[in-house]
């Protein structure tokens, strides 16, 4: 056997191989051992391209062959799809292509998607759903991790088997809630009213209403937890409005037990007109101090698209006094719109009510919107800014002045 | 990661993949880089083979990326293969793949296949304008003008806006061709430019010129020119269309301005009903004005001067020609202050009518109303581009009307009190049958929406 092998090798080496190489014969033809063919390959590695023995179109075969059974299954299905199902298919393909598309979509969401007026609106809606889904997933994962950790901790605790003894009086969250409710009930009798004007539903999209309700719920909870809460009024509140639907979704059964006043009446019917002040960023008047005898009105509106002057128009129509927060007087404003969220407004108003300290109150303006507090008279500051800029940047005086005027003058400048 | 230059073996790919920090997305990142570096197609193939062998399947996103590479390099047979595979593997395709397939095939001799793909894509979505563009170009460059125009009309019917490139290709490929129908279609494109106030760029203009001159027996001759301020074309001595709106357009526009700009969703947003009524009676009693001035805007022309001084300079300058002036302002101008001297204001009120709006009202809306109400001859003075008011108009037809009217009636003061006159002629593509006048812009010219090109192509039939 060994002898035969030797012979074979000899033959190969001496005559056949060069012949084969010359004519490009396939190596499979030889009944050679594996080692031999490998050594051959190594020898000739520099000469031939690796691609020669790499079948580049093999993937096509794989793709086609793996499909035969699947295809026979799908063919039997009826070709015509309903428009909803077709949309679902398209979305699935988009997801496969790596676009921001949610994995699961309810029938209702799919309908909203199809009702979007334009391609970009559709894209935006899908992206919103996609991000929502991602947030939900990561939240669930975190909760799971937390539960596991808690279980572990419990196991350890049971091992040591120690009972907690403490001399402190333990306040359960239920006790705290009782205290808060007591205070809120008091505020409903003696508290200073604060009005949320719920008449902007027509101005908003569904998502904006949802956001508004979320912000109001935040404000309400913060108000409940302060020492001296406002007596919150929801005015112009219509039953079976979108607001109402969202509120019941947010609060569930607690909605009927909230210690606030909800009415479909206008604030002008409840309170004397001369006591009302409508807070709006468009107001030409700037609020100087918080007045404990006045009733402040906040418009319950989130405007993602720019709608200037909507709440000012409402106040003008009713002939009410208006006011804006003195943001420019106390803050060096940098970017962002001057309208604040409803919960920020609530924080600011509560702080003002308790302390009358503007600086403390305006801490609740988001940090990204301003560079710092104005601690000196504006004129002096302007001079210094000017000097710094001319020294450092060599910037023209006018440019700086313009920038400053933009931020600080409340005169009637041109748009 | 740098894509390899040669096709790799499975082991080599495996090694690269393991070295990569996020192995799950290795293929996609690698293919993206191949697209960027325009790597040879064999390298991508070897990667696909490796993936297919390992997973027994290739993800859709990877296939699309491979398709992108094939389209970039014009590998027609590969594109077809990928299409066949996708068609069997997936029930439907999505828009991205259709875009690529149509683009890839329309440049080849298999361009008819692109047309069938376009029909297929229509079943699931409105095809993008680039899809149409590729198909139209493919058809027109094979001189299948009828087919190309069918696609073009289909596109317009679906509210897909054609690119200038598509429109230009019609002119390029119909050069020297005969046929009354074809000529009518191309004139139709020129009228499309007119209706939508689109200005062709220089190369497009040249295509139009060459097409006109190439019409057999047409005897058209084109010249580049500039139109005089009087509105006369120096080449053919033809008077261009006036910038005035027709009676119907005019009343339509003024109605829309009152309804959408002044009242909008809530009259209180810009003024109040009481104030607007007062303004209306004020204007009706003093009609008609020749020039309406935005007082506050004009008062800011020179920053070194007092605001009332600026305004009085402007009023003096305009009052010379015995014109009836209306100045719009706000009530705070009447308060004696460092910028607004009472004596100067008094003096001005002898020369012009003044209306002072509330400090929180918008005077621009009044400006538009007063000018439109005074009639077609009336013009207005402001440096404001009035973009926000244009934006209040809901449909594009009215917005075009507004721009046209604005061009014809707005006087702009530059800082040295030289007036820039309003245009007397209308700046759009226009024809009289035996002449065409086409405004065009330079290729790299930056043009704002309120500016109009000054260069023209004049075409006349001898």
């Amino acid at each position: 056997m060994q002898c035969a092998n030797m012979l074979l090798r000899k033959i190969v080496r001496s005559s056949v191989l060069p012949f084969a190489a010359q004519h490009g014969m396939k190596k499979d033809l030889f009944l050679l051992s594996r080692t031999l063919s490998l050594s051959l390959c190594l020898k000739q590695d520099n000469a031939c391209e690796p691609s020669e023995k790499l079948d580049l179109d093999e993937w096509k075969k794989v793709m086609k062959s793996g499909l035969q059974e699947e295809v026979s299954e799908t063919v039997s299905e009826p070709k015509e799809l309903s428009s909803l199902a077709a949309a679902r298919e398209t979305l699935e393909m988009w997801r496969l292509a790596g676009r921001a598309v949610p994995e699961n979509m309810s029938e209702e969401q799919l309908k909203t998607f199809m009702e979007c007026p334009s391609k970009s609106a559709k894209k935006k809606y899908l992206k919103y759903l996609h991000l929502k889904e991602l947030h939900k997933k990561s939240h669930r994962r975190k909760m799971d991790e937390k539960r596991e950790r808690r279980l572990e901790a419990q196991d350890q605790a049971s091992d040591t088997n120690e009972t907690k003894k403490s001399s402190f009086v333990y306040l359960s969250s239920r006790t705290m809630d009782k205290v808060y409710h007591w205070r809120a009930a008091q505020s409903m009798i003696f508290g200073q009213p604060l009005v949320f004007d719920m008449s902007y539903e027509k101005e908003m999209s569904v998502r904006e209403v949802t956001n508004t309700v979320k912000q109001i719920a935040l404000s309400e909870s913060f108000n409940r937890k302060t020492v001296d809460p406002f007596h919150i009024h929801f005015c112009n509140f219509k039953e079976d409005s979108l607001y109402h639907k969202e509120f019941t979704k947010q609060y569930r059964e607690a909605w009927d037990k909230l210690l606030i006043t909800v009415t479909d009446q206008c604030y002008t019917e409840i309170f004397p007109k001369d006591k009302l002040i409508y807070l709006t960023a468009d107001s030409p008047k700037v609020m100087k101090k918080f007045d404990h005898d006045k009733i402040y009105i906040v418009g319950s509106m989130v405007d993602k698209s720019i709608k200037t002057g909507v709440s000012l128009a409402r106040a003008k129509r009713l002939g009410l006094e208006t006011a804006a927060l003195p943001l420019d007087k106390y803050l060096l404003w940098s970017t962002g719109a001057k309208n604040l969220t409803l919960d920020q407004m609530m924080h600011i108003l509560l702080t003002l009510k308790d302390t009358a300290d503007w600086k403390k109150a305006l801490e609740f303006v988001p940090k990204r919107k301003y560079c710092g507090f104005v601690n000196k008279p504006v004129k002096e500051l302007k001079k210094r800014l000017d000097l710094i800029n001319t020294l450092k940047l060599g910037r023209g005086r006018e440019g700086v002045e313009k920038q400053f005027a933009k931020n600080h003058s409340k005169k009637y400048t041109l748009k | 990661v740098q894509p390899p230059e040669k096709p790799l073996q499975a082991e080599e790919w495996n090694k690269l993949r393991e070295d990569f920090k996020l192995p799950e997305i290795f293929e996609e990142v690698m293919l993206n880089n191949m697209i960027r570096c325009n790597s040879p197609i064999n390298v991508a193939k070897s990667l696909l083979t490796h993936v297919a062998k390992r997973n027994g399947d290739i993800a859709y996103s990877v296939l699309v990326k491979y398709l992108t590479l094939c389209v970039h390099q014009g590998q027609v047979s590969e594109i077809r293969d990928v299409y066949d595979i996708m068609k069997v593997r997936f029930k439907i395709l999505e828009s991205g793949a259709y875009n690529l397939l149509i683009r890839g095939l329309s440049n080849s001799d298999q361009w008819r296949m692109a047309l069938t793909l376009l029909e297929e894509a229509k079943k699931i979505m409105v095809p993008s304008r680039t899809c149409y563009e590729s198909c139209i170009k493919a058809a027109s460059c094979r001189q299948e003008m009828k087919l190309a125009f069918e696609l073009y009309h289909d596109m317009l019917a679906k509210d897909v806006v054609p690119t200038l490139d598509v429109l230009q290709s019609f002119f390029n490929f119909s050069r020297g061709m005969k046929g009354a129908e074809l000529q009518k279609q191309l004139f139709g494109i020129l009228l499309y430019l007119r209706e939508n106030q689109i200005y062709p760029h220089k190369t497009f203009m040249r295509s139009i010129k060459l097409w006109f001159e190439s019409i057999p027996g047409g005897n058209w001759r084109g010249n580049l020119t500039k139109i005089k301020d009087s509105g006369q074309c120096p080449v053919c001595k033809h008077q261009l269309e006036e910038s005035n709106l027709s009676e119907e357009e005019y009343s339509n526009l003024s109605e829309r301005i009152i309804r959408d700009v002044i009242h909008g969703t809530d009259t209180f947003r810009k003024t109040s009903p009481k104030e607007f009524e007062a303004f209306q009676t004020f204007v009706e009693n003093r009609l008609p004005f020749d020039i309406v001035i935005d007082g506050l805007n004009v008062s800011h022309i020179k920053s070194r001067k007092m605001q009332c001084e600026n305004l009085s300079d402007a009023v003096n300058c305009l009052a010379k020609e015995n014109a009836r002036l209306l100045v719009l302002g706000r009530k705070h101008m009447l308060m004696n202050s460092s910028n607004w001297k009472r004596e100067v204001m008094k003096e001005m009120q002898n020369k012009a009518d003044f209306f002072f709006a509330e400090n929180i009202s918008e005077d621009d809306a009044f400006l538009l109303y007063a000018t439109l109400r005074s009639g077609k001859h009336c013009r207005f003075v402001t440096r404001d581009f009035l973009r926000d008011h244009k934006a209040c108009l809901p449909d594009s037809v009215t917005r075009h009307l507004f721009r046209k009217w604005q061009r014809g009636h707005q006087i702009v003061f530059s800082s040295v009190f030289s007036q820039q006159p309003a245009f007397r002629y209308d700046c759009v593509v226009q024809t009289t049958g035996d002449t065409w006048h086409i405004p065009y812009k330079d290729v790299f010219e930056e043009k704002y929406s309120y500016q109009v090109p000054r260069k023209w192509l004049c075409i006349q039939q001898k």
Side-chain angles (χ1 to χ4, degrees):
Chain A
M1 184 64 207
Q2 204 180 22
C3 179
N5 220 340
M6 283 286 284
L7 183 72
L8 209 78
R9 270 189 202 179
K10 213 173 189 178
I11 297 166
V12 166
R13 272 199 193 140
S14 58
S15 63
V16 187
L17 195 63
F19 170 78
Q22 258 177 15
H23 295 260
M25 268 170 84
K26 283 197 175 163
K27 288 148 223 154
D28 312 18
L29 287 178
F30 300 95
L31 292 163
L32 295 178
S33 65
R34 201 174 182 78
T35 45
L36 191 66
S37 76
L38 259 180
S39 69
L40 169 81
C41 181
L42 280 174
K43 257 188 202 168
Q44 297 204 325
D45 199 30
N46 296 339
C48 79
E49 292 237 317
S51 60
E52 238 172 79
K53 31 186 226 53
L54 215 147
D55 185 5
L56 288 173
D57 288 332
E58 204 176 328
W59 61 275
K60 290 179 190 167
K61 281 179 221 150
V62 174
M63 289 298 284
K64 280 174 185 162
S65 67
L67 293 163
Q68 292 312 320
E69 318 94 67
E70 275 183 55
V71 170
S72 53
E73 278 167 35
T74 48
V75 161
S76 58
E77 252 178 70
K79 266 275 164 187
E80 282 303 302
L81 290 163
S82 74
S83 61
L84 271 182
R88 212 176 263 284
E89 292 273 334
T90 322
L91 286 179
E92 178 60 20
M93 289 315 285
W94 274 349
R95 206 174 63 77
L96 285 180
R99 294 214 208 172
V101 173
E103 254 177 70
N104 303 306
M105 258 175 110
S106 67
E107 205 85 329
E108 205 176 321
Q109 286 171 331
L110 205 62
K111 268 183 197 144
T112 335
F113 164 74
M114 285 174 65
E115 277 159 18
C116 286
S118 65
K119 270 187 187 176
S120 64
K122 281 183 179 167
K123 236 185 243 176
K124 252 185 210 167
Y125 183 63
L126 287 178
K127 197 179 170 193
Y128 159 71
L129 289 179
H130 178 66
L131 285 178
K132 209 167 127 185
E133 197 178 68
L134 283 184
H135 283 307
K136 219 176 189 174
K137 261 187 200 164
S138 76
H139 178 72
R140 199 172 297 150
R141 205 194 57 234
K142 274 179 197 160
M143 292 307 275
D144 285 346
E145 281 171 15
K146 208 174 165 185
R147 194 181 309 130
E148 260 169 48
R149 253 181 286 144
R150 205 173 48 219
L151 283 176
E152 262 175 46
Q154 260 177 16
D155 283 345
Q156 278 178 358
S158 59
D159 283 345
T160 48
N161 209 4
E162 243 180 83
T163 46
K164 269 185 192 167
K165 271 184 189 168
S166 154
S167 55
F168 293 111
V169 180
Y170 181 60
L171 282 178
S172 74
S173 59
R174 269 189 65 195
T175 340
M176 287 311 288
D177 276 349
K178 265 185 194 163
V179 175
Y180 294 147
H181 282 130
W182 172 248
R183 271 193 209 143
Q186 255 189 331
S187 84
M188 282 195 71
I189 309 168
F190 305 111
Q192 181 180 0
L194 178 74
V195 177
F196 282 98
D197 180 6
M198 310 295 238
S199 54
Y200 293 100
E201 197 175 297
K202 265 192 284 160
E203 252 82 40
M204 288 189 282
S205 67
V206 180
R207 258 179 81 193
E208 284 170 336
V209 173
T210 319
N211 289 349
T212 310
V213 166
K214 270 185 191 152
Q215 289 180 12
I216 292 178
L218 270 178
S219 327
E220 188 272 325
S221 86
F222 186 74
N223 181 57
R224 203 190 321 147
K225 285 169 191 166
T226 46
V227 187
D228 183 18
F230 282 113
H231 175 193
I232 294 179
H233 286 71
F234 289 174
C235 289
N236 296 322
F237 189 91
K238 304 271 178 308
E239 287 288 324
D240 61 70
S241 60
L242 207 53
Y243 277 122
H244 191 183
K245 205 179 126 204
E246 289 294 331
F247 268 120
T248 38
K249 219 192 244 174
Q250 185 85 16
Y251 279 104
R252 294 190 197 155
E253 307 87 64
W255 170 244
D256 293 321
K257 295 177 203 154
L258 273 185
L259 292 169
I260 55 174
T261 304
V262 180
T263 166
D264 62 348
Q265 279 180 304
C266 187
Y267 27 85
T268 46
E269 293 165 36
I270 308 173
F271 304 107
K273 246 186 186 182
D274 55 322
K275 284 210 164 183
L276 292 168
I277 295 183
Y278 210 116
L279 293 175
T280 161
D282 294 319
S283 171
K285 277 184 204 133
V286 174
M287 199 170 155
K288 287 216 173 65
K289 69 176 183 43
F290 184 86
D291 196 333
H292 293 272
D293 296 328
K294 295 273 183 192
I295 295 145
Y296 290 95
I297 307 168
V298 180
S300 310
M301 180 167 83
V302 170
D303 53 339
K304 285 191 191 251
S305 62
I306 312 143
K307 293 188 191 96
T308 23
V310 172
S311 53
L312 185 66
R314 194 130 311 175
K316 247 161 94 183
R317 181 192 294 276
L318 297 168
L320 298 179
E321 206 180 312
T322 59
L325 293 180
L327 298 173
D328 276 324
K329 195 177 158 197
Y330 290 96
L331 302 172
L332 276 169
W333 201 262
S334 66
T335 55
K338 298 220 164 107
N339 49 357
L340 302 174
T341 62
L342 299 170
D343 50 314
Q344 285 159 9
M345 267 323 261
M346 178 59 102
H347 278 288
I348 289 171
L349 289 175
L350 279 170
T351 322
L352 279 179
K353 185 160 132 98
D354 292 343
T355 62
D357 183 351
W358 277 107
K359 211 181 150 185
K360 222 172 176 181
L362 294 180
E363 289 277 349
F364 290 103
V365 176
K367 295 274 182 295
R368 63 170 191 282
K369 286 193 176 184
Y370 63 94
C371 325
F373 280 90
V374 178
N375 45 9
K376 284 182 183 155
V378 171
K379 249 188 192 167
E380 208 172 301
L381 213 88
K382 182 180 160 185
K383 256 188 214 162
R384 234 178 58 191
L385 246 173
D386 216 1
L387 194 70
I388 291 170
N389 278 319
T390 38
L391 284 179
K392 266 194 186 169
L393 305 165
R395 234 164 111 193
R397 211 185 129 86
E398 283 153 88
V400 180
E401 246 173 35
K402 255 186 207 161
Q403 186 62 36
F404 199 88
K406 216 172 100 192
N407 285 339
H408 280 271
S409 99
K410 272 267 110 181
K411 281 179 193 160
Y412 300 91
T413 46
L414 277 176
K415 276 152 269 159
Chain B
V1 279
Q2 189 69 28
E5 279 161 22
K6 279 189 212 159
L8 298 185
Q9 296 284 357
E11 302 89 65
E12 291 166 297
W13 279 122
N14 257 335
K15 195 173 174 314
L16 272 180
R17 188 172 193 266
E18 273 155 27
D19 292 343
F20 193 69
K21 42 181 191 269
L22 290 166
E24 306 87 60
I25 56 160
F26 171 74
E27 287 86 23
E28 285 183 34
V29 174
M30 185 51 89
L31 274 167
N32 274 343
N33 285 337
M34 284 182 192
I35 293 167
R36 214 184 50 224
C37 309
N38 206 11
S39 302
I41 203 149
N42 282 345
V43 183
K45 276 185 181 177
S46 79
L47 178 60
L48 287 194
T49 304
H50 160 64
V51 174
K53 270 189 190 163
R54 205 190 54 223
N55 303 340
D57 191 17
I58 296 171
Y60 181 74
S61 57
V62 175
L63 277 180
V64 172
K65 294 223 158 85
Y66 175 65
L67 185 62
T68 316
L69 191 67
C70 295
V71 170
H72 281 190
Q73 303 183 355
Q75 305 273 1
V76 181
S77 66
E78 277 305 304
I79 295 172
R80 288 216 55 164
D81 279 352
V82 175
Y83 174 66
D84 290 339
I85 287 171
M86 280 180 162
K87 202 63 208 161
V88 183
R89 177 74 182 74
F90 304 100
K91 243 189 263 174
I92 55 164
L93 303 187
E94 47 81 57
S95 43
Y98 275 124
N99 276 345
L100 283 167
L101 287 166
I102 290 171
R103 189 142 61 92
L105 292 172
S106 63
N107 285 330
S108 69
D109 48 351
Q110 309 230 9
W111 63 279
R112 282 196 187 272
M113 168 113 184
L115 295 182
T116 39
L117 281 175
L118 186 71
E119 289 305 313
E120 214 177 296
K122 271 186 210 164
K123 280 179 201 155
I124 59 159
M125 58 168 187
V126 178
S128 67
R129 66 189 210 159
T130 47
C131 282
Y132 275 111
E133 183 181 334
S134 323
C135 288
I136 290 175
K137 275 187 176 169
S140 61
C141 90
R142 270 111 194 156
Q143 311 280 311
E144 298 246 9
M145 298 318 283
K146 207 175 157 216
L147 180 62
F149 274 109
E150 262 167 36
L151 287 169
Y152 169 69
H153 290 300
D154 184 31
M155 183 175 186
L156 291 185
K158 286 199 164 65
D159 271 339
V160 183
V161 181
T163 54
L164 283 186
D165 261 15
V166 167
L167 302 181
Q168 192 184 346
S169 78
F170 280 122
F171 286 94
N172 277 341
F173 293 114
S174 351
R175 206 173 291 160
M177 279 166 81
K178 241 183 168 166
E181 179 61 24
L182 178 73
Q183 200 161 321
K184 209 178 123 201
Q185 290 279 15
L186 287 165
F187 284 162
I189 293 180
L190 290 176
L191 292 176
Y192 175 81
L193 295 181
R194 173 189 168 86
E195 264 147 43
N196 294 289
Q197 303 201 18
I198 300 168
Y199 306 114
H201 50 74
K202 206 170 184 175
T203 49
F204 187 3
M205 176 277 296
R206 210 161 277 151
S207 302
I208 296 173
K209 182 168 177 275
L210 288 175
W211 173 73
F212 266 107
E213 288 169 346
S214 78
I215 300 175
N219 276 331
W220 292 92
R221 187 114 329 274
N223 285 295
L224 305 187
T225 179
K226 275 182 186 170
I227 304 292
K228 290 177 193 159
D229 281 343
S230 61
Q232 198 190 38
C233 170
V235 183
C236 61
K237 308 288 180 240
H238 185 78
Q239 192 68 28
L240 291 196
E241 278 176 47
E242 276 188 28
S243 64
N244 282 339
L245 307 185
S246 73
E247 239 11 274
E248 199 193 332
E249 286 173 330
Y250 197 83
S251 65
N252 195 358
L253 180 66
S254 45
E255 224 170 82
R256 289 319 255 306
I257 293 272
I258 294 173
R259 201 183 73 197
D260 298 325
V261 178
I262 298 177
H263 292 307
T265 53
D266 187 353
T267 317
F268 283 96
R269 275 175 78 170
K270 283 180 178 158
T271 163
S272 67
K274 206 173 141 204
E275 187 183 36
F276 186 61
E277 215 169 280
F279 178 69
Q280 268 180 318
T281 44
F282 172 88
V283 171
E284 298 302 327
N285 289 337
R286 288 172 173 76
L287 278 178
F289 298 103
D290 295 318
I291 298 172
V292 182
I293 303 166
D294 183 351
L296 271 175
N297 187 298
V298 168
S299 72
H300 282 267
I301 285 177
K302 281 183 188 171
S303 53
R304 302 240 174 253
K305 275 194 177 176
M306 241 191 289
Q307 287 176 11
C308 62
E309 236 180 311
N310 274 328
L311 183 59
S312 92
D313 284 353
V315 168
N316 287 336
C317 177
L318 292 165
K320 269 178 206 157
E321 296 140 32
N322 209 9
R324 283 182 53 74
L325 304 181
L326 169 65
V327 182
L328 292 168
R330 291 211 183 102
K331 286 207 166 131
H332 72 87
M333 290 157 77
L334 287 172
M335 311 281 277
N336 203 12
S337 68
S338 60
N339 259 324
W340 297 100
K341 294 277 171 253
R342 194 163 280 162
E343 310 86 67
V344 185
M345 292 300 287
K346 273 262 167 61
E347 195 199 316
M348 267 193 285
Q349 288 184 46
N350 295 327
K351 290 177 187 157
D353 281 314
F354 273 72
F355 183 85
F356 297 100
E358 291 296 329
N359 288 342
I360 51 170
S361 293
E362 281 214 24
D363 48 358
D364 287 355
F366 294 150
L367 177 87
L368 296 178
Y369 176 76
T371 317
L372 280 167
R373 203 55 204 93
S374 295
K376 283 180 178 178
H377 73 288
C378 182
R379 289 172 297 165
F380 62 96
V381 187
T382 177
R383 282 193 300 178
D384 198 307
F385 299 127
L386 306 175
R387 281 181 278 224
D388 44 347
H389 305 296
K390 193 190 86 170
C392 290
L393 298 168
D395 61 310
S396 64
V397 178
T398 326
R399 267 181 274 181
H400 280 318
L401 276 187
F402 181 76
R403 271 278 179 262
K404 187 178 168 186
W405 174 76
Q406 188 189 358
R407 273 202 299 274
H409 294 82
Q410 183 168 16
I411 302 172
V412 180
F413 270 120
S414 57
S415 54
V416 259
F417 278 103
S418 64
Q419 323 178 10
Q420 191 186 314
F423 275 96
R424 289 224 193 122
Y425 56 92
D426 192 17
C427 198
V428 287
V429 175
Q430 43 191 285
T431 180
T432 56
D434 57 349
T435 61
W436 281 88
H437 285 92
I438 299 165
Y440 68 94
K441 53 188 183 188
D442 283 327
V443 180
F444 297 112
E445 189 180 87
E446 270 201 38
K447 197 183 76 62
Y448 298 101
S449 68
Y450 59 88
Q451 288 176 328
V452 285
R454 310 305 296 266
K455 294 180 179 171
W456 289 73
L457 169 66
C458 160
I459 298 170
Q460 55 185 134
Q461 198 167 26
K462 288 264 161 72

